[in-house]
Amino acid sequence: MPSKNEQAITAPKTKEELHEIFKRIYNDDANSYALSQEIIVCLGSLVLTEPRLFVEMFRIRIGLIIQVLASELARFSSISGIDATQKLFQLSPFQVKSMLLLLLSGRLLEDFSMDAESGAKEQRSGMGSIRKQIEERKSRRSTGDSTMDVDVNALAPTDSEEIDVEEAENFQFGIWLRHRRIDGALNRVPPNFYAMLWDTVRRFPRGLSINRIVLHWGVTQEMTRREIKFALQVEEVLNQIAQPEYREIMIEALSLLSRMDILLKTDSPNIPHDQSFVVDSILHRANELFVEHNKKMETVVMECCGSGKRCDGAQGMCQYFYDSAPAGEYGTAHYLIKALMDIFILWT
């Protein structure tokens, strides 16, 4: 659960054909069989009522969605993955649909009630309550300046305040990793991603190698820039990536690669002409730069990659790299752009 065997359904099927597909994939796992059916029905309903949530999504991987739902249940319920899977099987169709809607909307889950009427709740970081408490404490301090009798203990943070701060910190840890896993599981891409990638592939004479699968230059001669057939072929390549967070970082790298001239301020980058360009090299070089930079600052990276320990990140990359914000001074884009500069300008 979920099955490692995937089969694409690209055309309407009869009831008997669907039964054979599900039986072949899940064998005797009746729970996963039923849950997959529920998710497909829920997605079909959401496509009709919330079509904006499915923009630029050409294929949906049910198995990865089940993985993400189970991992989110495990996280906010503080239970094991096995227990979360069993809990997922016990949810009502309404609750499953509520969770799917939140995930498709780009929101995380904080609490999930087993009460069918309440469904899923939106994630709250607790920062609003912290700001309110800070303002109240400032107000108490200003009041204390004009009052002779002041209780010093009242100015110290209370147990509830410390708990809220701790909860906020716990929420922040892992938030970007979870976002990437969710977006990767949903096969979500930025606007105009496929059209920009078509331009990029056309620029590389030997094509692009993504996760050891080559997207050949010739496809740009066979398919137009906005042809759905091209998008589906790209999806087929990206879907070979098992880890959704690595898939999402790959999409970030491909998006930056399409704007290489602007980012690197050069019209003549060192594009290879004798072999396909390995896009994975951008990700791994960016990860190296991230670890080196954070080692100098002695950040949390010292707990794993920075000290030579084995990291649990996908594809051998640092888990904290996956958990970095996309933008900003220490964001993934910062290191990906530096990697592009190393590969296309500094290296010969």
Side-chain angles (χ1 to χ4, degrees):
M1 189 340 259
S3 173
K4 294 182 179 179
N5 301 319
E6 288 188 321
Q7 180 169 338
I9 301 176
T10 57
K13 302 290 183 181
T14 64
K15 180 180 178 180
E16 292 74 18
E17 289 173 331
L18 287 174
H19 174 72
E20 287 300 319
I21 291 174
F22 278 82
K23 185 178 179 181
R24 183 165 55 252
I25 292 175
Y26 292 110
N27 296 321
D28 297 327
D29 189 352
N31 289 327
S32 297
Y33 185 114
L35 180 60
S36 296
Q37 287 183 320
E38 285 184 16
I39 290 176
I40 291 174
V41 171
C42 291
L43 289 172
S45 174
L46 291 173
V47 165
L48 296 175
T49 58
E50 302 286 346
R52 59 183 177 79
L53 299 177
F54 298 88
V55 174
E56 295 277 8
M57 292 171 60
F58 292 95
R59 285 180 179 169
I60 299 176
R61 302 175 72 181
I62 304 301
L64 285 183
I65 290 178
I66 293 176
Q67 283 184 354
V68 169
L69 291 177
S71 65
E72 284 293 288
L73 276 174
R75 179 183 61 81
F76 61 68
S77 299
S78 299
I79 56 179
S80 67
I82 296 177
D83 291 339
T85 299
Q86 294 302 317
K87 185 175 181 179
L88 186 59
F89 288 144
Q90 297 169 5
L91 299 181
S92 69
F94 172 78
Q95 291 172 313
V96 172
K97 184 176 180 180
S98 298
M99 291 185 71
L100 281 174
L101 180 58
L102 287 179
L103 293 180
L104 285 166
S105 301
R107 291 172 285 178
L108 299 175
L109 307 176
E110 176 189 32
D111 184 26
F112 192 82
S113 173
M114 296 304 291
D115 182 2
E117 294 182 357
S118 58
K121 297 180 182 178
E122 182 180 352
Q123 172 67 278
R124 302 294 183 188
S125 66
M127 295 306 295
S129 62
I130 292 174
R131 291 193 190 97
K132 183 178 180 181
Q133 291 163 7
I134 292 173
E135 291 173 0
E136 290 175 351
R137 289 167 62 185
K138 286 181 178 179
S139 176
R140 289 204 298 266
R141 287 192 179 97
S142 62
T143 304
D145 292 340
S146 58
T147 306
M148 295 299 294
D149 186 13
V150 179
D151 183 1
V152 177
N153 293 328
L155 300 180
T158 64
D159 292 341
S160 62
E161 287 175 338
E162 291 177 350
I163 291 173
D164 284 341
V165 172
E166 183 179 353
E167 288 179 351
E169 291 176 350
N170 290 337
F171 165 76
Q172 293 299 328
F173 177 77
I175 182 173
W176 287 110
L177 174 59
R178 296 198 298 274
H179 269 302
R180 287 191 170 95
R181 282 177 175 168
I182 291 170
D183 287 344
L186 295 174
N187 286 6
R188 184 168 280 143
V189 297
N192 298 319
F193 171 76
Y194 297 107
M196 291 189 297
L197 184 57
W198 187 92
D199 294 333
T200 305
V201 174
R202 190 177 185 183
R203 190 171 184 182
F204 286 78
R206 299 290 181 177
L208 300 177
S209 174
I210 301 173
N211 194 37
R212 295 182 293 278
I213 301 176
V214 178
L215 195 60
H216 293 281
W217 173 85
V219 298
T220 61
Q221 306 302 303
E222 301 169 2
M223 307 170 195
T224 61
R225 191 169 181 266
R226 295 190 179 276
E227 190 172 341
I228 293 181
K229 188 177 179 181
F230 173 76
L232 290 175
Q233 184 157 342
V234 173
E235 276 294 295
E236 186 174 349
V237 173
L238 292 174
N239 284 348
Q240 301 305 311
I241 301 175
Q243 304 90 347
E245 61 268 36
Y246 187 76
R247 181 190 191 277
E248 198 61 24
I249 288 284
M250 176 66 72
I251 289 173
E252 292 178 30
L254 289 169
S255 298
L256 292 172
L257 187 62
S258 67
R259 293 178 286 160
M260 180 169 53
D261 290 347
I262 299 174
L263 295 172
L264 304 184
K265 297 181 180 179
T266 179
D267 295 329
S268 55
N270 298 321
I271 294 177
H273 291 77
D274 57 342
Q275 60 183 353
S276 58
F277 174 69
V278 181
V279 183
D280 301 74
S281 64
I282 301 175
L283 278 64
H284 288 280
R285 178 55 183 160
N287 179 68
E288 291 174 3
L289 293 169
F290 171 82
V291 173
E292 291 171 4
H293 188 198
N294 281 267
K295 280 175 65 177
K296 293 178 181 178
M297 297 187 295
E298 297 184 350
T299 65
V300 70
V301 170
M302 298 303 295
E303 297 177 0
C304 53
C305 300
S307 59
K309 296 180 181 178
R310 181 177 176 82
C311 193
D312 294 331
Q315 297 282 345
M317 291 166 51
C318 184
Q319 58 183 335
Y320 295 107
F321 181 64
Y322 289 111
D323 196 33
S324 301
E329 183 179 357
Y330 304 106
T332 53
H334 172 80
Y335 299 102
L336 288 169
I337 293 172
K338 279 192 169 185
L340 286 171
M341 185 176 296
D342 284 352
I343 294 171
F344 290 103
I345 296 180
L346 301 181
W347 293 359
T348 57

